[in-house]
Amino acid sequence: MQRIHAITILAMLTAVSCGVCGAAEYDQAKLIDVLQSAAPFSDKAIACKHLAICGNHEAVPALAALLPDQGLSSWARIALEAIPGEAANAALREAQAQLQGRLLVGVINSLGVRRDAQAVDALIARLKDADADAGSASAVALGQIGGDAAVQALEASLTTAPAGVRSAVAEGCIVCAERIAAAGKTADAVRIYTAVTRAAVPVQRVLEATRGLILVQGSAGVPLLREQLQSGEKARLALGLSVARELPGTEVTAVLIAELGKAPPPRQALLILALADRGDRTAVPAVLQVAKAGAENARIVALRALGRLGDAASVPVLLEAALDADQEVAQTATAVLADMPGAEIDRDLAGRLLQAEGDSRRILIELAGRRPIVGATASLRKAADDPDGPTRAAALMALGATIEFGDLDVLVQRVAQPRSGDDAEVAEHALATACQRMADREAATAKLIAALAPAAVPVKCRLLEILAKVGGSGALQTLGAAVKDADPQIQDTASRLLGEWMDVDAGPVLLDLAKSAADDKYKVRALRGYIRLVRQFDMPDAQRAEMCRAALQTAQRTEEKKLVLEVIGRYPNAEMLSLALEAVRIPELKNEAMAVAMIVAEKAGGRSAELQKMLHEMGQGTVEIELVKAEYGAGTNVKDVTTILRKHVRNFPVIILPSPNYNATFGGDPAPGVVKQLKVQYRMAGKPGEISLAENATIVLPMPK
C-alpha cells in the first residue's frame, strides 16, 4: 500500500499546469527574495510552487525558514519534497526535531515522501510519542522509507505501540511488505504480513495484510484464500472474491468451483461472478450446472456468465432456459444466445432450426434474426409459410435482418401478397429493414419501384411507405410522381410521405407540388413539408433565404406565411432581413413582419436607425401615435416609464429602443429576480389601445379595433 503525499500531488499538478520550465523561465534568486521579504502570503505561496519546479539546494534555507509558519509550512514542503539533494532532507530532519503538532506531522510526511534513510532513527523514536498523530505519521513514513531498521522497529511496535498508533504501524508494515515482495524477498514479506494478521490492529489492516499474504505466496496462498471464501464474515468473503480475481492459476478456479458446489444461492451468484471475471473456461461445466438447475437468482447470474465463458457446448442449456416458464430466466437466456459471439454458434443454431418444432422453433427463428444468422435464410423462408401466424411473423422479421440482396424479391412478394392482414404490416417492416441494410440502397429501391406498377392500390401504398423509409433519389422521384397519380389514396399517401421527408433534397419536389397540386389539401401539406425542411435542416444561408422567399411567394394562406416568418426570425442575417421587410408589404403580415424585421436586425447586428428608415421609406408604420401611459415592473414594484418611452415613439407601430434590455433602457430593474411586464396605453389614429408585453419583448403596437 503506497501513500502519495497530497502536497506532492499538488506539486505535480502545478508542474503539469505550468509546463516544463527551464532555469531561464524563473529567476530563483528573485523567488528567494520574495520568500525573505514582507510580501503578501499569496506571493510567497506562488514562489514556493515555482521553486518546486525549478528550485535547487540554494533555495532550501529560505524554504526551511517557512516550515514553522502555520500558513506557509505546507507550501514550503511542496518545494522541499521536490528539490533534489541532501540539503532538503537535512532541513526537514532539523525541523522534525523542533516542530510540534500539525506542522510536525507535515514534516514527517515529507520525510516519508522523500524516503530519507537518515531520518529512520528519529522516526523510530517517535513511534512511542505522546502525540499519537506524530507517532502514526512516523509509522507510515518508516513504511515508505523501508530498510532493515525500519522493518524491525515496525514489527516490534505491532505489540508495543500505543493503541492510537497501532493502525498506522500496521499500515507501515504492509507498505514495507509490498516493497519487499516486489524485490523478490517472499519469505520476509510473508513474515511481515503474518505478523500484521495476528496483531491487535483494526480489521481493515488485518484484511489488507491477508490480501498481501495470499498474493505474495501464489499457489501456496490458495488455502488461505479458501478460508476467506468460506468465512461467514462479509468483509472476509468480499476480500476472498476480490483476491480470487487477482490471483492467477488453475488452483484458484478449482477452489471457486468447489465452493460453488456447496454454497447457498446468494453466495453462488457471487462466486459465479468471480469465475466469469477470471475468464477461465474450465469453469463452464460448473456454471452450466447452476444455469440448468440452480435457484432463480443464481441461475440468472450463471446464464449471463455463460455469455462471457460459454461456447457452442452451452447452447443446449441456454435454449432450454429460453423456454423456461420463468419469464426473467427465459428472457435472460434468449438475450445471452442472441449476443454470444462465434460462427460456430451460428452454425449450431441454424442446424437446430432445420429440425425444430413448436416453441423451440419460435425461439430459434427469433435468434436467427437477432444475431443475425445469414445461413438460416432457407429455414426462415420456409417458416414464413407456416400456418401459425406468430411463427410467420417471427420468420418475416428475421428475414428482414438476414436476407441478402438476391433474395429481396421474397419479401417484396410477401408485401404484395400477404397471407393475412397481420402479415402485411410485419412484411412491410421486414422489407424496409432489409432494404436499409443493403450496401446498394438504390438497387434495393429499384426492386421496390419495379413492384409498384402491377400492384393493387393498397400494396402500392405500402411500397411507397417502404420507399420513404429507405430514402434516396430514386425513392424521392417515385414519390413525386405518385403524388400526381389518378388514385386519391396514392396521392394522399405520397404527399404525406413527402411532407415527412427527412432530407432537403425533397425541397424542389415539395415546392412543385405546393404550386401544381390539384387539391388544396395537398398544396398545404407540401408547402408545410417544404417549410419544415427550411426550419429544421442545415443548409447555406443563401439557400435558406431563397427557399423562404419561394415559400412566401407560393403560400396562399396566412397560416403558412406566418410559418415562413418564424423561420426568418430563427435564422437572422442580411438576406433574411430583406425578406422580412418584403413581408411588411403583405397586409395580413404587416405587424408580425415588422416585429420579425426588428428581431432579425438586432440579432444580425443591424442598426435600428437604418431599419426605422427602411420601414418609413416603404410607407409602413406612418400613423399618428400618442403614448398615454407606460409602466414597467411586477406586482407593486412598478415604475412609470412614460417619459422615457415617449422619446422613442416615431409615429409608426414599432417602437425601437436603444437597448433590447428593458432594464437598461428604463434606468434599472424595478423588481429584481422577478419576471416583469411592460404595460402601454396609447392612441393610434385617434383610437385607444392597450398592450402588455413580456420583459424585453419587441414593442409592436397593434392597430386598435
Side-chain angles (χ1 to χ4, degrees):
M1 179 187 313
Q2 186 174 4
R3 173 182 287 181
I4 300 178
H5 199 281
I7 295 177
T8 302
I9 294 176
L10 181 56
M12 292 164 60
L13 293 176
T14 303
V16 171
S17 65
C18 294
V20 178
C21 64
E25 190 168 342
Y26 292 119
D27 187 329
Q28 181 174 246
K30 290 184 178 179
L31 294 173
I32 293 172
D33 287 344
V34 170
L35 297 184
Q36 294 174 335
S37 71
F41 167 87
S42 58
D43 290 352
K44 291 187 177 183
I46 291 172
C48 289
K49 288 167 64 176
H50 291 169
L51 288 170
I53 302 169
C54 300
N56 60 31
H57 66 281
E58 294 178 1
V60 169
L63 291 165
L66 299 178
L67 290 175
D69 188 296
Q70 292 287 345
L72 290 168
S73 181
S74 60
W75 295 101
R77 289 192 294 107
I78 287 175
L80 289 171
E81 287 179 4
I83 291 174
E86 174 57 26
N89 289 342
L92 290 167
R93 288 197 301 272
E94 183 178 350
Q96 179 271 151
Q98 298 172 355
L99 299 177
Q100 300 293 327
R102 184 175 62 85
L103 297 180
L104 170 61
V105 170
V107 168
I108 292 172
N109 289 339
S110 294
L111 287 168
V113 170
R114 290 186 62 88
R115 299 186 63 188
D116 179 12
Q118 293 187 47
V120 168
D121 290 343
L123 295 174
I124 290 173
R126 287 199 177 274
L127 290 176
K128 297 181 180 180
D129 200 297
D131 182 348
D133 289 339
S136 296
S138 298
V140 175
L142 286 169
Q144 291 174 309
I145 297 169
D148 291 342
V151 170
Q152 291 173 11
L154 288 170
E155 284 190 86
S157 296
L158 280 172
T159 56
T160 62
V165 178
R166 208 166 294 171
S167 177
V169 170
E171 182 179 348
C173 286
I174 293 168
V175 172
C176 282
E178 288 177 347
R179 187 164 290 135
I180 289 170
K185 300 177 180 179
T186 302
D188 290 339
V190 167
R191 185 192 75 247
I192 298 171
Y193 282 132
T194 301
V196 175
T197 63
R198 295 173 179 173
V201 296
V203 172
Q204 182 58 35
R205 297 290 177 243
V206 173
L207 293 174
E208 292 167 359
T210 302
R211 172 187 174 275
L213 187 55
I214 295 170
L215 292 174
V216 77
Q217 293 183 93
S219 59
V222 171
L224 182 56
L225 170 62
R226 182 185 292 108
E227 289 182 23
Q228 313 311 306
L229 295 172
Q230 293 175 344
S231 175
E233 299 176 25
K234 289 184 178 180
R236 287 192 175 275
L237 173 61
L239 173 67
L241 292 167
S242 175
V243 175
R245 290 170 164 85
E246 297 180 76
L247 188 62
T250 57
E251 302 96 330
V252 178
T253 303
V255 167
L256 289 170
I257 292 172
E259 294 303 315
L260 181 62
K262 54 190 177 183
R267 189 166 294 205
Q268 278 188 330
L270 297 174
L271 292 166
I272 290 170
L273 289 172
L275 285 167
D277 287 343
R278 286 182 61 80
D280 189 339
R281 292 185 180 274
T282 61
V284 170
V287 176
L288 280 170
Q289 184 60 34
V290 178
K292 186 174 183 179
E296 180 182 358
N297 184 55
R299 191 179 181 195
I300 289 171
V301 173
L303 290 168
R304 290 174 180 159
L306 288 175
R308 300 167 63 184
L309 297 174
D311 52 22
S314 307
V315 169
V317 171
L318 287 166
L319 279 175
E320 182 180 349
L323 296 169
D324 198 272
D326 186 307
Q327 188 174 8
E328 186 175 1
V329 170
Q331 289 177 348
T332 300
T334 303
V336 169
L337 280 168
D339 294 338
M340 283 179 70
E344 184 182 1
I345 294 176
D346 284 347
R347 289 190 293 270
D348 186 302
L349 294 173
R352 291 174 186 274
L353 180 55
L354 290 170
Q355 307 296 328
E357 297 180 353
D359 290 341
S360 294
R361 188 184 189 207
R362 176 182 54 78
I363 290 294
L364 288 164
I365 289 171
E366 179 185 344
L367 290 170
R370 289 178 64 174
R371 286 188 66 86
I373 304 174
V374 176
T377 301
S379 297
L380 294 174
R381 290 176 61 175
K382 181 179 178 181
D385 288 325
D386 196 274
D388 179 62
T391 299
R392 289 198 309 275
L396 287 170
M397 292 297 292
L399 282 171
T402 60
I403 203 166
E404 296 181 301
F405 179 78
D407 293 324
L408 203 56
D409 290 330
V410 172
L411 286 176
V412 174
Q413 184 64 23
R414 297 291 173 174
V415 171
Q417 297 179 344
R419 289 281 298 269
S420 70
D422 292 340
D423 283 8
E425 184 177 348
V426 177
E428 180 183 329
H429 180 80
L431 180 55
T433 300
C435 290
Q436 289 168 330
R437 286 177 36 243
M438 298 301 150
D440 188 345
R441 287 198 181 187
E442 291 296 334
T445 299
K447 286 184 177 287
L448 299 177
I449 295 171
L452 276 170
V457 170
V459 175
K460 284 184 177 179
C461 291
R462 286 198 293 271
L463 290 171
L464 291 174
E465 296 275 2
I466 297 169
L467 282 167
K469 292 176 182 176
V470 177
S473 59
L476 182 58
Q477 293 172 9
T478 302
L479 286 170
V483 172
K484 301 175 182 179
D485 194 277
D487 187 279
Q489 186 178 352
I490 294 176
Q491 290 180 22
D492 185 71
T493 299
S495 65
R496 173 177 55 80
L497 294 171
L498 280 172
E500 299 168 352
W501 195 267
M502 298 300 291
D503 192 305
V504 293
D505 290 345
V509 178
L510 286 166
L511 186 61
D512 177 68
L513 178 60
K515 293 177 179 179
S516 63
D519 192 321
D520 286 345
K521 168 186 173 181
Y522 301 144
K523 285 184 177 180
V524 171
R525 180 182 284 175
L527 185 57
R528 284 182 171 250
Y530 185 80
I531 296 170
R532 180 183 60 83
L533 294 178
V534 184
R535 182 175 60 249
Q536 292 183 358
F537 290 92
D538 289 335
M539 61 185 74
D541 288 346
Q543 180 184 0
R544 195 183 308 278
E546 184 56 37
M547 290 181 72
C548 282
R549 177 173 281 105
L552 205 55
Q553 293 170 349
T554 304
Q556 297 178 356
R557 304 192 317 162
T558 303
E559 292 91 329
E560 282 70 52
K561 293 175 183 179
K562 289 184 177 180
L563 288 176
V564 179
L565 280 179
E566 188 272 331
V567 176
I568 291 172
R570 181 179 290 197
Y571 298 98
N573 56 53
E575 291 181 80
M576 289 299 200
L577 177 58
S578 177
L579 270 178
L581 293 173
E582 290 177 23
V584 173
R585 300 177 186 275
I586 303 172
E588 66 267 31
L589 297 182
K590 180 180 177 182
N591 287 340
E592 289 86 347
M594 284 193 293
V596 169
M598 179 176 174
I599 292 170
V600 173
E602 290 176 353
K603 291 182 178 178
R607 288 173 291 183
S608 59
E610 291 182 358
L611 174 61
Q612 180 177 315
K613 180 180 178 182
M614 293 172 71
L615 289 170
H616 186 75
E617 289 175 352
M618 293 175 64
Q620 301 298 328
T622 302
V623 62
E624 183 181 349
I625 297 176
E626 176 190 354
L627 192 67
V628 178
K629 186 176 183 180
E631 292 182 329
Y632 173 56
T636 58
N637 298 320
V638 175
K639 67 187 300 184
D640 189 311
V641 296
T642 307
T643 302
I644 297 174
L645 198 58
R646 278 176 179 165
K647 296 178 181 178
H648 305 290
V649 175
R650 295 292 183 269
N651 286 337
F652 58 91
V654 177
I655 299 178
I656 303 174
L657 301 178
S659 168
N661 185 288
Y662 283 2
N663 294 333
T665 298
F666 298 140
D669 189 341
V674 179
V675 177
K676 293 164 282 295
Q677 283 190 327
L678 173 64
K679 295 182 179 181
V680 182
Q681 298 176 18
Y682 59 96
R683 297 183 65 83
M684 185 181 294
K687 298 179 180 180
E690 185 173 339
I691 189 172
S692 293
L693 299 165
E695 183 176 352
N696 300 331
T698 301
I699 304 176
V700 180
L701 304 179
M703 176 64 73
K705 296 182 180 179

